[in-house]
Amino acid sequence: MAMNITYQIGALAGTPIQAESFSDSTAPIGPAAAWKTPIPSIRCKIIKPDTIEKRSQPTSPCRSPILSGSNGTRPDLSVVCRAFATETLEFVEMDESKSTEEEKMYKEVKTEKEKGVPVYVMMPLDSVTMGNTVNRKKAMNASLQALKCAGVDGLMVDVWWGLVERDAPGVYNWGGYTELLEMAKRHGLKVQAVMSFHQCGGNVGDSCTIPLPKWAVEEIDKDQDLAYTDQWGRRNYEYISLGCDTLPVLKGRTPVQCYSDFMRAFRDHFKHFLGDTIVEIQVGMGPAGELRYPSYPEQNGTWRFPGIGAFQCYDKYMLSSLKAAAEAAGKPEWGSTGPTDAGEYNNWPEDTQFFRKEGGGWTSPYGEFFLTWYSQMLLDHGERILSSAKATFENIGVKMSVKIAGIHWHYGTRSHAPELTAGYYNTRFRDGYLPIARMLARHGAIFNFTCIEMRDHEQPQDALCAPEKLVRQVALATREADVPLAGENALPRYDGYAHEQILQASSLNIDESSDDKEMCAFTYLRMNPNLFQPDNWRRFVAFVKKMKEGKSADRCWEQVEREAEHFVQASQPLVQEAAGALMH
């Protein structure tokens, strides 16, 4: 009996990575979505204007081994995927003597102005194993087929520094990533590749543990000031302290040199994918890949939502920089330590002398000096790495992006304490996101922001959470800096309510001057078994279609959902058959 696709995809749930072996999960999840529509088999091609027509190998919007007619399997599934795709198709007669029944040629039609927001899906954190192979390959292949058929543009893949350069400096093993990128290319999916220079494990949603490279951890063990440190002496190994960015502390190389060498090695190894399959490089710059300090670490219960977090400036390298800045400001007494009255990780602003609204230290001359230095150190860190990334990936057809955290709790207070401890000097009286946007604009990078699925009233109001207001502030900052804005959901959501909020946020309807601007992309967190549950999948398919239609589309949500329902239900037998073939 043919097994459903969720049976395979169930194996994609995040689990701790182990060095020895990996096996597919065998726990069935339930019936899966499938793809078919009642149209006849057709020969088609898409015409790109102003392009000379050439013969090419047969391809499909959901090109994969199980879809290719040359494999003697189900060519009709290829037609199904095309029927649901949003591209315009122009059907033409083909020379019967030069083509088989299954051969179909197409080229994408590009309108003068692209509409809609491309949708990408984050891959599981452990998509590549510690043995440098694709994890749960059969499940991965079936999942990519499903995503492509649903109209998804591409994938986001973490390229872990701790996996690729694990054993020795300058020795790179790209094995699993080569295989995964080839798989994405076969399915016609684009890839956002994340240069993940941080540890996996210890943050919201981390389902596995991938430490920094062994040799880097050895150096941190020898000199623990290479790790971010709080005022109580806790060391954080998630990401190397930016205080030593330019010091040769890693086997004779600086951290920035290590990141630069890694990116160059990636470029050279995957040059044949760049600009075609790989369309974006997201440059990791801190914990969880975000440009921030590790001010709210969940590991070992150190921080709990909605605590204010803690400043991370107490390693000797950061303190040395603080001392120099204080002396340059003519206030050497300010350079010995960070704020000592800023509370603890799980305090609220009004619990502390530094962050309270009336007479808080954050408004004092010392507070302004410290917060300016602390946030500028983060901006300088971003500038250094982006300069290197730009030199590495310039003029090869890929975009660059940087992820900024959506720290929305206590946003309604005057001090915005959690943003300040993370390095974003954003208060009721100061815009902390405009300097970041301007820095990204100088390097032509995309501003990637999280939490766009959240609504203010869904969050604890006693903590004055305001994700919608925060997203609006960021949208205004990126517009002023003339930098593209992309979005992600911060937490897994499968409900239509969250989808509607993402649609609203991505439309960038912030005021009368918004015109037809939209986010340049949206990345959905994350591919896992829950996504492929029937109701979740039906809503997701409709969401993707609605996103790609753009803000000018006048069709109601219910109409799109009805189309998705037909697409999911009518084609279930075909995909179950395909899934069964993959399992054997």
Side-chain angles (χ1 to χ4, degrees):
M1 181 176 177
M3 299 179 181
N4 63 43
I5 195 167
T6 311
Y7 189 94
Q8 299 180 71
I9 295 165
L12 285 165
T15 53
I17 288 188
Q18 304 191 10
E20 297 302 324
S21 62
F22 301 82
S23 60
D24 289 342
S25 168
T26 56
I29 304 297
W35 303 265
K36 187 182 179 183
T37 186
I39 63 172
S41 294
I42 49 177
R43 300 189 189 94
C44 61
K45 67 179 178 181
I46 301 177
I47 304 296
K48 178 185 279 189
D50 305 320
T51 302
I52 298 176
E53 187 177 321
K54 296 180 180 179
R55 291 284 285 195
S56 62
Q57 292 299 313
T59 52
S60 164
C62 39
R63 182 178 177 184
S64 75
I66 70 165
L67 299 177
S68 170
S70 61
N71 287 344
T73 52
R74 298 299 298 259
D76 51 346
L77 190 54
S78 174
V79 176
V80 169
C81 299
R82 293 187 195 183
F84 198 70
T86 59
E87 291 89 359
T88 303
L89 298 180
E90 180 179 339
F91 301 105
V92 298
E93 294 294 333
M94 296 180 67
D95 188 342
E96 293 290 341
S97 64
K98 296 181 180 179
S99 61
T100 64
E101 179 64 27
E102 293 78 24
E103 183 177 11
K104 301 167 181 71
M105 296 175 59
Y106 78 98
K107 295 178 182 178
E108 293 185 3
V109 169
K110 298 292 184 183
T111 60
E112 290 185 5
K113 186 173 181 64
E114 296 274 350
K115 292 184 178 180
V117 179
V119 177
Y120 292 76
V121 174
M122 291 188 202
M123 292 293 96
L125 294 168
D126 61 349
S127 292
V128 172
T129 72
M130 296 295 278
N132 298 96
T133 60
V134 174
N135 207 2
R136 299 172 290 264
K137 191 184 304 184
K138 290 181 179 179
M140 182 70 75
N141 196 54
S143 302
L144 299 193
Q145 169 207 342
L147 292 175
K148 181 60 183 180
C149 289
V152 167
D153 289 87
L155 320 170
M156 176 175 277
V157 177
D158 284 284
V159 184
W160 295 106
W161 185 32
L163 282 182
V164 174
E165 199 180 354
R166 179 178 59 233
D167 297 320
V171 178
Y172 307 100
N173 187 335
W174 305 104
Y177 292 104
T178 301
E179 193 175 8
L180 185 57
L181 286 167
E182 287 173 347
M183 190 181 293
K185 184 174 183 177
R186 285 198 304 272
H187 287 283
L189 290 163
K190 299 173 184 176
V191 172
Q192 299 168 318
V194 184
M195 304 290 99
S196 295
F197 299 121
H198 60 286
Q199 165 189 293
C200 180
N203 277 298
V204 177
D206 285 354
S207 55
C208 63
T209 299
I210 303 172
L212 299 184
K214 292 178 181 178
W215 52 271
V217 174
E218 290 171 2
E219 294 301 307
I220 300 174
D221 288 339
K222 293 176 189 175
D223 179 6
Q224 292 202 330
D225 282 293
L226 298 181
Y228 282 116
T229 308
D230 64 21
Q231 70 181 91
W232 304 279
R234 291 189 186 91
R235 308 289 188 177
N236 190 311
Y237 276 39
E238 287 183 71
Y239 187 84
I240 295 171
S241 170
L242 62 80
C244 57
D245 267 357
T246 59
L247 301 175
V249 294
L250 296 179
K251 306 286 187 185
R253 290 187 296 168
T254 71
V256 172
Q257 284 175 331
C258 291
Y259 307 148
S260 299
D261 292 344
F262 183 92
M263 289 188 287
R264 279 195 297 271
F266 178 88
R267 176 200 65 192
D268 294 343
H269 188 83
F270 294 111
K271 58 187 175 183
H272 54 297
F273 288 108
L274 293 169
D276 178 17
T277 299
I278 301 171
V279 296
E280 182 180 319
I281 302 294
Q282 185 170 108
V283 187
M285 295 195 174
E290 297 166 334
L291 178 63
R292 64 173 176 87
Y293 294 98
S295 56
Y296 49 98
E298 283 198 307
Q299 200 165 27
N300 302 320
T302 302
W303 172 88
R304 296 183 304 277
F305 177 84
I308 59 176
F311 292 113
Q312 306 290 312
C313 60
Y314 294 89
D315 64 79
K316 68 183 182 184
Y317 301 105
M318 291 290 287
L319 288 175
S320 175
S321 172
L322 177 61
K323 182 175 184 291
E327 291 174 350
K331 295 286 187 178
E333 65 273 19
W334 289 349
S336 59
T337 184
T340 57
D341 57 354
E344 299 185 4
Y345 284 98
N346 295 306
N347 283 143
W348 286 31
E350 290 304 307
D351 298 333
T352 75
Q353 177 67 34
F354 189 79
F355 293 120
R356 69 183 187 181
K357 64 182 178 182
E358 298 292 346
W362 62 280
T363 62
S364 69
Y366 164 73
E368 292 177 358
F369 158 78
F370 173 79
L371 293 170
T372 298
W373 167 80
Y374 190 67
S375 60
Q376 189 61 48
M377 288 288 284
L378 189 66
L379 286 169
D380 292 345
H381 173 68
E383 194 95 49
R384 282 189 287 268
I385 300 179
L386 262 185
S387 295
S388 174
K390 184 177 181 180
T392 301
F393 295 109
E394 199 168 25
N395 299 322
I396 56 176
V398 297
K399 301 174 183 176
M400 289 193 306
S401 67
V402 174
K403 186 189 294 188
I404 311 299
I407 303 174
H408 59 85
W409 52 104
H410 301 295
Y411 183 86
T413 63
R414 294 183 187 179
S415 63
H416 293 229
E419 292 164 89
L420 298 184
T421 58
Y424 306 154
Y425 193 177
N426 190 59
T427 70
R428 185 172 294 181
F429 314 111
R430 188 181 190 279
D431 188 344
Y433 298 100
L434 185 55
I436 297 172
R438 286 173 172 160
M439 184 268 289
L440 299 182
R442 285 195 293 274
H443 298 279
I446 295 167
F447 192 122
N448 186 287
F449 197 63
T450 62
C451 85
I452 72 166
E453 85 283 10
M454 296 180 177
R455 300 180 193 240
D456 293 353
H457 72 265
E458 294 175 335
Q459 306 300 319
Q461 290 308 294
D462 54 346
L464 298 181
C465 301
E468 291 178 86
K469 295 181 181 67
L470 173 60
V471 169
R472 183 178 186 277
Q473 180 187 350
V474 167
L476 288 168
T478 56
R479 187 176 70 182
E480 182 172 340
D482 195 23
V483 63
L485 177 62
E488 295 180 4
N489 50 313
L491 299 172
R493 291 283 294 269
Y494 310 100
D495 56 291
Y497 200 55
H499 293 161
E500 289 175 10
Q501 180 61 23
I502 294 168
L503 281 161
Q504 171 62 31
S506 64
S507 69
L508 298 183
N509 289 325
I510 49 181
D511 56 31
E512 295 79 7
S513 60
S514 298
D515 300 324
D516 58 351
K517 291 183 179 178
E518 297 175 283
M519 285 188 178
C520 63
F522 171 75
T523 304
Y524 182 87
L525 181 153
R526 172 182 315 272
M527 189 175 85
N528 61 30
N530 290 329
L531 175 61
F532 294 97
Q533 290 292 322
D535 287 343
N536 294 343
W537 182 249
R538 173 180 52 79
R539 287 189 289 266
F540 178 74
V541 169
F543 163 71
V544 171
K545 189 168 183 62
K546 194 72 174 172
M547 286 285 281
K548 298 185 73 165
E549 287 180 350
K551 64 198 274 185
S552 60
D554 56 1
R555 297 196 305 148
C556 67
W557 183 263
E558 289 74 15
Q559 182 181 356
V560 177
E561 277 200 326
R562 284 196 298 272
E563 290 180 10
E565 181 71 25
H566 172 77
F567 173 75
V568 170
Q569 295 298 328
S571 55
Q572 189 171 7
L574 274 182
V575 175
Q576 287 181 334
E577 181 179 343
L582 278 169
M583 290 296 291
H584 294 88

